[in-house]
Amino acid sequence: EAETAMHRAKDAGDSRVYFFAHALQEAASERLALRSDLRRALEAKPAPLLLHYQPQVDSHGRLAGVEALVRWQDPRRGLVSPVHFIPEAEASGLIVPLGNWVLEEAATTLHRWQNDPACAPWATKLTMAVNVSARQFREADFIGRIESLIARVGIDAFSLELELTESVLVDDLEATLEKMAQLRRHGVRFALDDFGTGYSSLAYLKRLPIDVLKIDRSFTMDIDAPEHSGQGKRPAVLIDAIVAMAHQLDLRVLAEGVETLAQQERLLRSGCDLFQGYRFSRPLPEAEFRAWAAQQSARLPR
Ligand code: C2E
Ligand code: MG
Ligand code: MG
Ligand code: MG
């Protein structure tokens, strides 16, 4: 399509349309290249993928959990952010093998930490949070896969937390509910990611077996904005209300993207239970995460 537009523009001598169509075509072919490189990456043994780990802390600053975040080490592109390849993976269906790789790697790492005496001061009660995309969750064998992963790797189901976004919920609520309930019976925990950005209905929250509500970073960013800043919103008041509601429903609330002390303090006043963000640490490669966790647990013993 972009190509015909480009030829037509070229024939007509319209350089602006030509330029635009050309840019479109380049973007499309870059997406295709990314897709086929990603496919090849997933077939390679070992896959050139890695996980970074970002701490989640409680109101005392103690390590409570960790979120696994995938990166792709590509020879040409360097370390590629998931922001760039997850949407492509979703569109192409590659998200399923990619998501399986992430689950496998996260579980294996957690098992290693839990069985290494050097990690004992911080790893025993740690939750490993893994992002699961809607498409991956809807796979027919998703439950069986999680069950066998837990058994095979030998981790405690309670230490695995699956992060779902609101998009999983909107499509087929009944099926999602049933699947979540089944996994919940094994002990698997759930977090609702990016809360506030999607089509949340409070009615869902009451019915779903969710443990943690993750308030999206966009709320945290605005939390220290003055209440009458002309933005037409009062973010702190909004978070107060979200936390109160979540606590009524027995959910814990995690604030994403906490960067400053002022944000942390305001979120604490709102009653947030857990915190994640650059203020505590960026997502780190495994060895660096272990060092961070060891230092943090020495400073703030349980
Ligand atoms: P997310 O699950 O909401 O993860 C949080 C993102 O916010 C991470 O970006 C993290 O690095 C970033 N972040 C954390 N704290 C701060 C902060 O204080 N300030 C700012 N500016 N950013 C912060 P990342 O690692 O680039 O991941 C982006 C998104 O990609 C994730 O958002 C998630 O939706 C997706 N993703 C990452 N790994 C996976 C995966 O294994 N599977 C799936 N399906 N999606 C993944
Ligand atoms: Mg997440
Ligand atoms: Mg999130
Ligand atoms: Mg987010």
Side-chain angles (χ1 to χ4, degrees), residues 67 163 193-194 214 216 256:
E67 179 173 5
E163 292 196 2
D193 206 355
D194 305 334
K214 297 190 76 176
D216 190 66
E256 291 189 316

Side-chain angles (χ1 to χ4, degrees), residues 3-299:
E3 195 162 5
T4 24
M6 193 175 77
H7 289 309
R8 214 179 296 131
K10 199 177 175 185
D11 295 342
D14 186 336
S15 62
R16 283 165 311 162
V17 175
Y18 176 75
F19 178 80
F20 180 66
H22 188 69
L24 265 184
Q25 197 190 25
E26 281 203 334
S29 68
E30 171 52 25
R31 272 209 309 280
L32 276 182
L34 187 128
R35 202 179 278 197
S36 67
D37 289 353
L38 185 59
R39 177 169 289 118
R40 216 166 309 123
L42 283 163
E43 284 162 0
K45 297 259 178 313
L49 299 169
L50 66 156
L51 295 181
H52 280 182
Y53 300 93
Q54 186 174 38
Q56 302 175 331
V57 304
D58 68 13
S59 56
H60 305 286
R62 294 189 191 106
L63 181 65
V66 57
E67 179 173 5
L69 294 154
V70 70
R71 276 93 181 93
W72 169 25
Q73 184 69 63
D74 180 64
R76 192 164 61 83
R77 298 179 178 84
L79 196 64
V80 191
S81 156
V83 176
H84 294 116
F85 65 88
I86 294 286
E88 257 337 282
E90 303 245 17
S92 60
L94 289 172
I95 192 69
V96 174
L98 175 71
N100 290 338
W101 183 92
V102 170
L103 279 166
E104 194 77 34
E105 179 73 10
T108 309
T109 303
L110 182 65
H111 181 261
R112 205 181 320 117
W113 293 344
Q114 288 180 337
N115 290 280
D116 183 340
C119 304
W122 51 269
T124 42
K125 285 191 214 148
L126 192 76
T127 311
M128 174 71 81
V130 178
N131 293 283
V132 173
S133 89
R135 189 149 171 186
Q136 188 187 356
F137 187 78
R138 287 198 202 98
E139 285 284 290
D141 66 347
F142 184 74
I143 293 179
R145 195 172 271 284
I146 297 288
E147 287 171 349
S148 69
L149 176 78
I150 288 169
R152 182 163 39 78
V153 179
I155 54 165
D156 175 3
F158 291 100
S159 57
L160 183 64
E161 184 170 283
L162 303 180
E163 292 196 2
L164 303 178
T165 57
E166 293 156 296
S167 61
V168 182
L169 314 180
V170 283
D171 231 37
D172 189 349
L173 183 61
E174 294 308 318
T176 300
L177 200 64
E178 179 48 36
K179 241 173 174 168
M180 288 176 79
Q182 227 171 310
L183 285 165
R184 193 75 190 89
R185 282 194 286 273
H186 291 286
V188 174
R189 294 167 193 266
F190 289 97
L192 191 57
D193 206 355
D194 305 334
F195 182 75
T197 60
Y199 313 85
S200 331
S201 148
L202 301 184
Y204 292 164
L205 292 182
K206 227 178 97 176
R207 299 188 56 200
L208 296 166
I210 294 169
D211 305 280
V212 178
L213 206 64
K214 297 190 76 176
I215 299 183
D216 190 66
R217 184 166 71 87
S218 54
F219 291 90
T220 303
M221 271 167 61
D222 292 341
I223 199 167
D224 29 19
E227 299 205 342
H228 301 287
S229 57
Q231 288 175 291
K233 50 186 170 183
R234 303 167 67 185
V237 177
L238 214 56
I239 295 189
D240 289 344
I242 293 173
V243 175
M245 171 215 59
H247 285 169
Q248 282 290 319
L249 298 171
D250 283 327
L251 306 178
R252 284 182 305 154
V253 180
L254 181 148
E256 291 189 316
V258 183
E259 295 184 354
T260 69
L261 176 62
Q263 289 169 344
Q264 184 190 357
E265 284 175 340
R266 186 60 189 81
L267 289 160
L268 263 170
R269 267 209 285 144
S270 294
C272 282
D273 307 284
L274 296 162
F275 307 83
Q276 183 178 346
Y278 295 169
R279 160 145 179 80
F280 310 100
S281 169
R282 288 179 178 261
L284 300 169
E286 193 204 339
E288 285 168 50
F289 173 76
R290 286 171 68 133
W292 187 94
Q295 198 186 32
Q296 191 79 353
S297 71
R299 203 159 61 82

